[in-house]
Amino acid sequence: MAEKVHWASGITKRLRNWSERQDTEAEEALLELVYTELHRQAHRYLQRERAGHTLQTTALVNEAYLKLIQQKSVVWESRSHFFAIAATLMRRILVDYAKSKHRERRGGGMEELPLEDALTVAVSNDTDFDLLALDEALTRLAEKEEQLAKIVELRFFSGLDVPETAEVLGVSESTVKRDWAMAKAWLYRELTR
Amino acid sequence: MADENWQRVRKIFDDARLQKPETRQKFVRQACGKNKSLLADVKSLLDSLDSAENFMEVPAVAEIAGQMLTDSRKFSKGQFLNHYEIIGQIGAGGMGEIYLAQDTKLFRRVALKILHENLLSDKQAKRRLLREAQAVALLDHPHICAIYEISETENCSFIVMQYVEGETLAEILTQNSLTAEKSLDLAIQIAEALAEAHARNLIHRDIKPANIIVSEKGQVKVLDFGLAKFIEDEKSGETAKRLNSSGAVMGTVPFMSPEQLCGKRLDARTDIFSFGALFYEMLAGRQAFARETNAETISAILNDEPDWSFIPTKLKPILQKSLTKNKDLRYKSAQNLAEDLRDLQKSVDFDEIRQGVSTKSGEQVAANELTRPKSRQFYFWQSGNEKFRVPPETADFDEKQTGETKQVQFNPLIVPSVLIIFMLTGVSALFYWQFKKADDSGNFDALRSVRIVSWKSSASSNYGDYRVSNNGKMIAFSSTQDGKNEGIYVKQTADSEDIRVTKDRWTNHSPVWSPDDQHIAFVSVRESVSGIYVSPSLGGAAVALKIIGKGDLSVRNWTADGAAIFYEHDGNLLRLDLATQETVKITDFAQSPKDGRHFDLSPDEKQIVFVDERDGQIDLWTMPIESGVPFRLTNNTERETRPLWHADGKRILYNVVRDNDMQIYLAFTDGRSPQQVTRGDGDYELADISADGTKVFYCFWENHSDIGGVKIVTGEVFELASEIESELWADVSPDGKLIVFESNDSPHLTPNLSKSSLVVKSLENASSPLFRLKGHNPRWLPDSGHVAFMRWHKAEQNYQYWLVNTASGEEKQLTIDGVSSPSYGRLPINRHDTGRNWSPDANRFVYLDSKKQNILTASVESSENINLTDINKANIRFYPPIWSTDGKRIAFLSMEKTENPKWSIWLNEEGKTKEIYSGVGELRLLGWSASGDEILLAMTDGLMKSSPLDVKLLKVSAAGESRVLTVFKNIYASSLTLSADGKMLAFSARHADKDDIWIAAASGREEKKITSNSHNRIFYGSPAWSADGKTVFFDKQDQINTISMFENFK
């Protein structure tokens, strides 16, 4: 138990440092903490799944975050902010991971491998997309309208559902739905061009 | 404009989305009016939305988390699963990956079968597996691969099995066909293994070629007993399910019995059928029932007779009785089967058999091609035909390496697995020797080297005097281990723990086996009195054979009749008659060379060979005992050592040290010139020769070092550099962006750091090095743009100080007269100096010169030196200096060589040098305190040894006031490293028999362990601080000792 408290207080402190002073080192440390916690949670989650529990995509991430912020010293007003930050971090973690896989498979960048060997993530049930391409497209989308990209980060990279996303962004659920549709359509078009 | 357009697109898109499908098109056309590009844009987005129904609906995190976890279950070299250290993956199969690993408790190679997690869904499954394994573990049979343990970590369960070198029968069968004779031999062994298991009510259930390993000597080991049953239970026994799944997890269809296919209750006879199918394939070169599809194969097993025309007539009855569909007509037990096979082996004429199928041979080839499966789903241990690495010759220091080689050397993906195998496994391998063109008389091109045993050195250990027992199964040696006195140890060649033969407190060395291997004679030094003692070879009370007294004493030979022992005492050889206790002098030299003469007796015990120093050179000499007239065997300037007479009596193997490497040579008594046998990098220390002369034993030790890092806050440990080469001595640039370290591809680091390269890497992207160049002991300059280093000048045999611009790669030699090289410890190899010898503006440096041993300063621009130590005292020695962070002061140390060495601290300030402190404890400068007014030092009461000590942290002010801040217990004094801001210390310490990295405040307070090393024979050293003080990099080093043999020495 003591360990958890330590972790949680660590992340809160980092978070404050980051939000108050734009401390990039705090960001790095935060990234690490989230990553470790995510990994731990993911492991548990998969074990449970195997044991026959139902699959809940958002549960994993929520649980990881909640574990980290569940303590009295956390001001609840910062929750949204926290999720927003966490979504960005999550995108970075996942894209970095995809990149590392990409490098691995491509022989450290020495040789070009056939396209099908590049890392793909099943971003839909029937089509696989390169997560790195998605990341790039998302960056372009953010230039057009940042909120759309933010919603994708929260929903796709962080696994939040519509109400949660709405809460984090302080917008209505219908706005989230509308923006989500636009973002999906636009990104899908980018990736299938 | 673009924004405006975007807003319009969005608006129409959003509104259109809410329209009913049938009105949508119309709506969009109306909304866009005549703007065709707008229309196209919106339409394509709407189309896209329709197709993107499921797109991104499953969060990436759910997808990737699973992948991340799968990845984390791949194990890499050096990782530990409990006390098993992974060496490498050697196979993969339906049940999980198979790794070669070292059991660090029992010092043996094992195979780990990591079980796929989905096989072990719950605790009951684990319990069942454990029960099954317990039954199998009871099997003790030469042809059954032993299961040692079922073990688990937090993340996985694994089976620890005997590691068997060889090929699976599946591999053998794909490569070439087996003769009937060989097939029968293998079949008997398999049948015997089955008989043993069946006698204990264990059924294999998955006998197939992939589960049979054949060693190079043709010995069979059957794998995976009982596991099939376990898995079948786990998969709820649904045969149909198994058959339908591709790459069937268990029970390879062509080898399954009819009752197995029908899902009936199984008994030992199912194994008999599978055995029959296997034996059929061995003999016929094709599978008995294999058809194009599984369904047809199943039908064939249930209904068809195999084509007997491929089977030699004499073997047909046995196969028929094994492969009959009705299990009641089959062999009742593998015991009966094995007996029949053995009887057949005795009676049959294999020439006849060969003729018996010759008419079919043409057909057979064609049939093979048709029925042999194209690929096997499962493979096991790879055969050991990998070539050993012959390390490249190290280039001279002034030889620039080309860009291409840099790339290749550093890409971890390109490091061939062969190298890893060379470094770490006991896989039997062919040794390819490079030969000088002149050497054409000998032929050692294909000496086969087999690693017999290997182990990691324990703390502050030494090993030597290796002797192989006459039966070739044990190795005796003397060693200091784990801080114990030097003792005699015996290691059994089938990887096992050392047995300490001598359990007393005396110094014992130079063991020699008795002819029957029951006893070991050795030298024991007791209260400065040396004697020859004998002890039972696996431990027991030592009995004095002869007390000799003072002087250098070694036991050399025990005669074949067991009656006498030859020993060397102060450079002369003597014969001790064990019955009468009488001693006879064989030689009568007046003086002894420093390291003794290393006498060895010829096989006929009539001659001796020895090392002698005459005419200013060391050579090998032989001498008939009777005549006493020595004969010069070699005549050169090289230093020969440890000669051993070969069993043929005509040749002598010996060692020569050449370019810091110890090589094995061969000399001839008939006057031919000696030949070099080994040429690799490293030390091939000759240990012994087998009684028949075909095996030459040698030992080899190699150091290895990797650089890791630990984040102080999280405790996360990561690897920074862990190539096949050794990496050590990291230093982070003051701006925190780059790291430099030393890389060395020599197997033994200590004498060879002169051949190191420097590697500069970016800390942001540590995957590939920015550049590398020849050099040693690198340190960043305060400007973060240059690295200063030492480079060995081969002609002058000294180090020079060099500088490289890390942006341009431009190099510059800074010194002419040479600099004193830093001393360093052994395992871990900590460097003794602390760097910090550049002025803050990076213009001037201060160093200790190699010739005069003075402290000099010089500037980058000019080679003009200023001597700070013009102190006229002959017996004084200076130590590397440090520059204060404000650039105003230089501190250095001196030691006055008297009976009680006096250590002083000197300060140079405003052109004047003065002594500010003196004392008796040995000192090492750490740096200036954060305030810049005080110097921090390490101090030890006695000699500052490289092993862990109690080290005082001393603070001395510029005015000379000193204060001991704390005493760090059991730390490596040379590892103490001050952070850039002077506020923190990092060091490696050994507690609870393990090295770890610790940090403390510069005040000496708040000591804290930041790593958790799990291995007592992996040593940590040379911590280096990141610029922000949040990460500590450190070296992880070990030394692997191996005893190997050339098994086909002619």
Side-chain angles (χ1 to χ4, degrees):
Chain A
M1 288 316 279
E3 197 195 358
K4 265 182 205 158
V5 172
H6 170 80
W7 275 92
S9 63
I11 201 161
T12 312
K13 211 168 120 194
R14 299 279 163 201
L15 189 61
R16 286 219 191 94
N17 281 349
W18 190 36
S19 55
E20 284 161 22
R21 287 186 260 128
Q22 291 295 307
D23 180 349
T24 51
E25 280 162 15
E27 185 188 334
E28 291 299 318
L30 186 66
L31 195 69
E32 264 173 52
L33 288 169
V34 171
Y35 184 86
T36 312
E37 184 59 27
L38 169 70
H39 213 262
R40 223 172 52 180
Q41 290 296 332
H43 193 77
R44 269 192 226 149
Y45 157 80
L46 287 183
Q47 270 177 344
R48 248 185 289 129
E49 190 201 337
R50 201 169 303 120
H53 289 252
T54 48
L55 179 125
Q56 288 173 9
T57 47
T58 57
L60 161 68
V61 183
N62 276 334
E63 219 175 301
Y65 295 160
L66 290 176
K67 279 269 154 34
L68 292 167
I69 59 167
Q70 221 169 42
Q71 54 164 351
K72 284 171 193 160
S73 63
V74 173
V75 197
W76 276 99
E77 281 79 28
S78 72
R79 188 168 174 263
S80 298
H81 188 200
F82 178 82
F83 273 103
I85 290 163
T88 312
L89 292 179
M90 192 64 70
R91 177 176 166 193
R92 257 187 72 185
I93 288 171
L94 298 179
V95 170
D96 283 355
Y97 175 78
K99 274 184 192 158
S100 74
K101 294 299 290 179
H102 203 60
R103 264 201 302 278
E104 234 172 74
R105 292 177 192 210
R106 289 178 47 166
M110 295 288 288
E111 283 171 60
E112 287 289 331
L113 281 190
L115 206 65
E116 57 266 29
D117 280 1
L119 179 98
T120 56
V121 177
V123 284
S124 76
N125 288 353
D126 41 22
T127 320
D128 284 1
F129 290 106
D130 189 334
L131 189 62
L132 302 184
L134 178 66
D135 181 55
E136 281 164 23
L138 191 58
T139 307
R140 290 198 298 276
L141 180 63
E143 285 163 17
K144 292 198 173 290
E145 193 170 336
E146 208 182 338
Q147 177 156 306
L148 297 196
K150 203 74 220 170
I151 284 174
V152 174
E153 277 185 354
L154 288 165
R155 296 218 56 208
F156 179 62
F157 283 98
S158 239
L160 299 196
D161 59 20
V162 172
E164 284 168 326
T165 309
E167 189 197 326
V168 169
L169 294 178
V171 297
S172 71
E173 289 185 23
S174 61
T175 304
V176 171
K177 281 181 192 160
R178 195 190 65 208
D179 289 356
W180 175 240
M182 180 65 190
K184 266 176 74 169
W186 191 85
L187 287 170
Y188 191 84
R189 191 178 67 180
E190 286 294 296
L191 292 174
T192 48
R193 260 180 199 196
Chain B
M1 286 304 283
D3 271 349
E4 206 174 291
N5 190 43
W6 170 257
Q7 292 307 338
R8 283 182 68 191
V9 171
R10 275 213 60 174
K11 178 87 179 71
I12 299 167
F13 173 83
D14 286 337
D15 293 344
R17 204 168 49 82
L18 301 172
Q19 298 289 320
K20 286 181 191 149
E22 53 269 27
T23 58
R24 194 187 276 173
Q25 277 212 354
K26 195 178 162 196
F27 171 82
V28 173
R29 248 182 278 130
Q30 280 175 354
C32 294
K34 284 177 183 168
N35 190 335
K36 280 193 178 159
S37 72
L38 182 67
L39 178 67
D41 204 358
V42 175
K43 270 184 82 176
S44 71
L45 279 172
L46 286 167
D47 287 350
S48 173
L49 185 67
D50 288 342
S51 330
E53 194 184 359
N54 295 317
F55 175 57
M56 297 198 301
E57 291 295 340
V58 175
V61 62
E63 285 280 341
I64 293 198
Q67 283 189 31
M68 282 176 169
L69 286 178
T70 321
D71 279 6
S72 67
R73 298 206 37 234
K74 295 269 180 200
F75 302 99
S76 52
K77 178 205 131 193
Q79 219 175 321
F80 278 86
L81 292 181
N82 299 339
H83 61 279
Y84 300 101
E85 184 182 2
I86 300 286
I87 291 166
Q89 188 171 350
I90 50 178
M95 276 199 296
E97 288 80 36
I98 299 137
Y99 291 87
L100 173 63
Q102 175 79 3
D103 180 337
T104 59
K105 275 191 185 159
L106 296 175
F107 297 98
R108 61 182 174 187
R109 291 293 150 103
V110 294
L112 304 184
K113 185 171 256 194
I114 316 282
L115 297 166
H116 278 166
E117 227 167 306
N118 55 15
L119 290 174
L120 294 166
S121 46
D122 53 36
K123 279 184 183 158
Q124 279 111 18
K126 278 184 191 169
R127 264 202 295 277
R128 270 200 300 278
L129 177 66
L130 191 64
R131 259 205 313 274
E132 203 63 45
Q134 280 163 346
V136 178
L138 289 173
L139 293 175
D140 176 18
H141 191 269
H143 299 314
I144 295 174
C145 180
I147 289 189
Y148 296 143
E149 192 191 358
I150 299 267
S151 191
E152 59 184 332
T153 65
E154 203 181 305
N155 300 323
C156 69
S157 301
F158 55 96
I159 301 171
V160 185
M161 296 184 295
Q162 185 177 18
Y163 170 59
V164 187
E165 287 169 19
E167 284 181 288
T168 66
L169 199 50
E171 287 166 336
I172 293 171
L173 287 171
T174 47
Q175 289 154 18
N176 41 40
S177 56
L178 293 167
T179 62
E181 195 174 0
K182 181 76 187 168
S183 301
L184 185 55
D185 176 46
L186 298 178
I188 290 171
Q189 297 184 53
I190 298 164
E192 282 173 351
L194 289 175
E196 169 72 17
H198 292 169
R200 293 176 181 274
N201 288 323
L202 265 167
I203 314 171
H204 192 292
R205 290 162 189 250
D206 192 22
I207 288 289
K208 60 177 175 181
N211 275 338
I212 314 287
I213 295 187
V214 183
S215 79
E216 275 189 51
K217 288 175 184 161
Q219 206 200 13
V220 162
K221 293 268 184 192
V222 181
L223 298 173
D224 285 357
F225 260 101
L227 296 175
K229 179 174 186 328
F230 169 76
I231 283 159
E232 208 160 89
D233 292 348
E234 283 309 293
K235 299 268 164 187
S236 68
E238 284 174 60
T239 315
K241 205 176 185 179
R242 283 204 312 279
L243 297 183
N244 292 337
S245 64
S246 59
V249 177
M250 271 294 135
T252 317
V253 176
F255 299 93
M256 288 167 87
S257 67
E259 63 268 28
Q260 199 172 6
L261 288 169
C262 297
K264 289 182 185 158
R265 236 184 107 80
L266 299 181
D267 58 26
R269 288 171 290 186
T270 187
D271 284 349
I272 305 275
F273 185 93
S274 303
F275 165 87
L278 175 72
F279 192 23
Y280 183 98
E281 187 181 344
M282 285 156 71
L283 290 166
R286 71 201 294 270
Q287 291 182 344
F289 304 105
R291 303 291 186 270
E292 267 188 24
T293 63
N294 270 343
E296 287 170 273
T297 304
I298 293 164
S299 163
I301 293 173
L302 296 176
N303 306 306
D304 299 354
E305 274 290 293
D307 183 345
W308 295 113
S309 63
F310 293 106
I311 300 300
T313 327
K314 295 223 167 177
L315 287 164
K316 196 173 148 189
I318 293 178
L319 270 175
Q320 278 177 321
K321 202 172 170 185
S322 303
L323 284 174
T324 180
K325 319 280 181 210
N326 182 345
K327 65 180 176 181
D328 295 329
L329 299 176
R330 258 180 248 153
Y331 282 100
K332 295 226 165 15
S333 75
Q335 187 61 43
N336 301 346
L337 169 65
E339 279 162 19
D340 275 9
L341 288 166
R342 271 193 299 263
D343 288 347
L344 185 75
Q345 191 182 38
K346 280 178 211 145
S347 63
V348 84
D349 175 352
F350 285 99
D351 289 335
E352 195 185 305
I353 282 187
R354 272 190 284 277
Q355 282 154 18
V357 287
S358 62
T359 51
K360 284 273 180 183
S361 63
E363 207 175 306
Q364 184 180 336
V365 173
N368 279 353
E369 281 167 2
L370 288 173
T371 55
R372 192 68 64 86
K374 281 193 186 98
S375 64
R376 307 270 164 176
Q377 301 142 329
F378 189 101
Y379 71 95
F380 229 85
W381 285 264
Q382 289 287 1
S383 66
N385 283 339
E386 290 85 355
K387 287 176 191 174
F388 259 40
R389 173 177 77 145
V390 178
E393 295 231 339
T394 312
D396 284 341
F397 83 93
D398 49 1
E399 214 175 274
K400 289 262 162 61
Q401 295 197 339
T402 63
E404 287 78 23
T405 57
K406 288 179 212 167
Q407 289 282 321
V408 170
Q409 282 175 335
F410 262 85
N411 191 325
L413 294 170
I414 293 180
V415 173
S417 58
V418 175
L419 297 194
I420 293 161
I421 286 160
F422 165 74
M423 297 293 285
L424 290 154
T425 76
V427 173
S428 145
L430 284 177
F431 234 98
Y432 282 79
W433 301 106
Q434 295 177 317
F435 273 85
K436 270 197 242 163
K437 277 169 193 159
D439 269 347
D440 53 2
S441 52
N443 179 20
F444 304 111
D445 293 21
L447 271 181
R448 289 164 58 86
S449 176
V450 178
R451 184 166 290 195
I452 299 168
V453 62
S454 71
W455 69 98
K456 276 191 166 80
S457 287
S458 61
S460 60
S461 54
N462 280 301
Y463 303 85
D465 303 336
Y466 299 93
R467 288 289 177 142
V468 176
S469 64
N470 296 297
N471 65 11
K473 289 182 178 163
M474 294 175 283
I475 297 157
F477 57 96
S478 63
S479 170
T480 57
Q481 290 188 21
D482 303 319
K484 293 200 187 91
N485 55 319
E486 184 171 8
I488 308 293
Y489 290 79
V490 165
K491 203 180 253 303
Q492 275 159 324
T493 48
D495 283 355
S496 67
E497 240 174 319
D498 299 349
I499 299 162
R500 189 169 162 103
V501 176
T502 56
K503 297 188 174 76
D504 51 45
R505 60 193 171 94
W506 315 109
T507 297
N508 304 302
H509 61 85
S510 68
V512 169
W513 293 91
S514 65
D516 64 359
D517 294 333
Q518 296 296 306
H519 291 86
I520 292 172
F522 57 93
V523 170
S524 185
V525 186
R526 307 185 168 193
E527 313 273 13
S528 312
V529 178
S530 301
I532 298 169
Y533 289 72
V534 69
S535 163
S537 53
L538 294 178
V543 178
L545 291 175
K546 178 93 182 171
I547 305 299
I548 310 290
K550 288 203 184 309
D552 289 335
L553 184 67
S554 301
V555 182
R556 294 298 180 200
N557 296 90
W558 197 324
T559 58
D561 61 5
I565 283 174
F566 283 80
Y567 66 92
E568 180 171 348
H569 183 220
D570 282 341
N572 278 307
L573 189 68
L574 296 101
R575 182 181 189 276
L576 169 66
D577 187 306
L578 295 179
T580 64
Q581 302 268 304
E582 274 171 29
T583 296
V584 181
K585 252 190 166 180
I586 307 293
T587 64
D588 196 7
F589 296 111
Q591 277 187 326
S592 169
K594 207 175 90 209
D595 297 327
R597 286 197 166 83
H598 291 273
F599 293 99
D600 191 41
L601 208 53
S602 66
D604 62 5
E605 300 177 0
K606 288 179 178 163
Q607 292 192 75
I608 53 171
V609 62
F610 57 94
V611 172
D612 209 358
E613 188 172 355
R614 293 193 198 186
D615 317 320
Q617 64 185 43
I618 290 174
D619 289 309
L620 290 185
W621 294 72
T622 58
M623 188 184 95
I625 293 174
E626 210 166 288
S627 74
V629 180
F631 169 80
R632 181 176 236 143
L633 194 63
T634 63
N635 190 353
N636 55 47
T637 54
E638 299 198 302
R639 293 174 60 93
E640 286 84 359
T641 181
R642 65 184 86 227
L644 287 174
W645 215 299
H646 188 262
D648 64 10
K650 293 171 185 164
R651 295 179 296 177
I652 287 146
L653 284 146
Y654 61 100
N655 274 138
V656 165
V657 176
R658 202 174 209 192
D659 292 336
N660 278 331
D661 290 331
M662 190 180 271
Q663 304 292 355
I664 298 174
Y665 278 70
L666 190 60
F668 302 87
T669 54
D670 64 6
R672 273 188 285 160
S673 318
Q675 272 180 25
Q676 188 167 352
V677 178
T678 62
R679 282 178 193 278
D681 260 4
D683 288 337
Y684 296 88
E685 188 182 330
L686 202 52
D688 215 342
I689 304 171
S690 68
D692 64 0
T694 61
K695 297 183 181 81
V696 172
F697 299 87
Y698 65 94
C699 41
F700 194 91
W701 53 271
E702 53 204 0
N703 280 354
H704 191 251
S705 178
D706 288 335
I707 297 174
V710 55
K711 299 192 175 168
I712 294 170
V713 177
T714 60
E716 185 207 333
V717 174
F718 58 92
E719 305 242 296
L720 181 91
S722 53
E723 311 293 331
I724 200 96
E725 294 94 354
S726 285
E727 299 86 19
L728 67 162
W729 291 5
D731 193 38
V732 180
S733 62
D735 66 7
K737 288 181 180 160
L738 302 172
I739 192 163
V740 64
F741 55 85
E742 191 157 336
S743 165
N744 192 301
D745 65 1
S746 156
H748 55 181
L749 292 175
T750 321
N752 261 351
L753 289 182
S754 61
K755 293 179 179 175
S756 287
S757 299
L758 308 184
V759 177
V760 176
K761 273 188 175 184
S762 156
L763 278 173
E764 280 153 18
N765 173 20
S767 57
S768 61
L770 298 176
F771 66 86
R772 65 186 290 163
L773 51 91
K774 214 80 199 155
H776 164 59
N777 197 23
R779 297 280 192 187
W780 286 98
L781 263 57
D783 67 356
S784 294
H786 296 82
V787 168
F789 59 94
M790 289 167 183
R791 188 176 268 174
W792 182 244
H793 197 292
K794 207 173 178 183
E796 289 183 20
Q797 292 283 300
N798 63 10
Y799 281 104
Q800 298 293 352
Y801 208 37
W802 285 71
L803 196 63
V804 59
N805 179 322
T806 52
S808 67
E810 192 189 334
E811 294 175 16
K812 185 178 166 75
Q813 185 172 341
L814 298 173
T815 57
I816 302 158
D817 291 338
V819 289
S820 173
S821 69
S823 59
Y824 40 81
R826 52 164 290 196
L827 217 62
I829 302 170
N830 289 304
R831 50 180 158 185
H832 201 71
D833 76 334
T834 39
R836 302 169 185 275
N837 55 336
W838 282 79
S839 62
D841 60 9
N843 268 331
R844 290 188 74 78
F845 58 98
V846 57
Y847 69 103
L848 178 64
D849 91 299
S850 69
K851 276 187 190 159
K852 293 172 188 157
Q853 298 279 354
N854 279 315
I855 304 285
L856 307 172
T857 72
S859 81
V860 178
E861 303 309 327
S862 100
S863 57
E864 204 176 302
N865 289 318
I866 300 169
N867 188 351
L868 307 185
T869 52
D870 220 0
I871 301 155
N872 271 330
K873 274 187 177 174
N875 60 344
I876 204 161
R877 201 194 134 85
F878 295 100
Y879 289 85
I882 51 174
W883 211 304
S884 67
T885 34
D886 63 6
K888 289 178 181 155
R889 297 159 170 158
I890 294 164
F892 56 91
L893 303 174
S894 76
M895 190 259 290
E896 210 175 319
K897 287 181 246 173
T898 57
E899 192 135 329
N900 291 313
K902 186 186 95 173
W903 285 80
S904 304
I905 306 171
W906 301 80
L907 202 61
N908 177 278
E909 200 173 0
E910 292 167 357
K912 285 174 202 145
T913 299
K914 63 179 180 189
E915 186 179 3
I916 59 163
Y917 167 95
S918 75
V920 289
E922 179 166 346
L923 299 173
R924 177 171 169 262
L925 287 168
L926 302 178
W928 291 83
S929 68
S931 67
D933 294 333
E934 291 155 319
I935 309 163
L936 281 170
L937 301 103
M939 181 166 78
T940 51
D941 287 338
L943 193 65
M944 198 175 278
K945 288 183 290 192
S946 60
S947 49
L949 298 164
D950 290 350
V951 177
K952 288 173 185 154
L953 181 63
L954 185 73
K955 195 177 192 177
V956 178
S957 72
E961 291 152 13
S962 68
R963 191 155 63 93
V964 173
L965 299 177
T966 190
V967 182
F968 294 123
K969 297 277 182 193
N970 230 38
I971 75 163
Y972 295 93
S974 302
S975 72
L976 267 166
T977 305
L978 194 64
S979 64
D981 61 8
K983 288 181 182 166
M984 295 292 290
L985 284 163
F987 52 89
S988 77
R990 193 168 185 86
H991 291 297
D993 201 29
K994 287 185 186 81
D995 280 5
D996 272 298
I997 300 296
W998 292 65
I999 54 171
S1003 62
R1005 285 195 287 268
E1006 296 162 53
E1007 252 182 274
K1008 187 184 161 198
K1009 186 166 85 105
I1010 56 168
T1011 58
S1012 48
N1013 186 359
S1014 60
H1015 202 296
N1016 64 349
R1017 293 182 181 196
I1018 293 178
F1019 300 88
Y1020 285 9
S1022 303
W1025 286 94
S1026 66
D1028 61 8
K1030 289 177 179 170
T1031 302
V1032 177
F1033 298 93
F1034 60 98
D1035 296 349
K1036 286 185 278 186
Q1037 301 175 340
D1038 60 9
Q1039 186 183 74
I1040 297 166
N1041 300 269
T1042 57
I1043 298 177
S1044 304
M1045 66 176 176
F1046 297 125
E1047 63 169 11
N1048 58 339
F1049 194 86
K1050 282 178 202 142

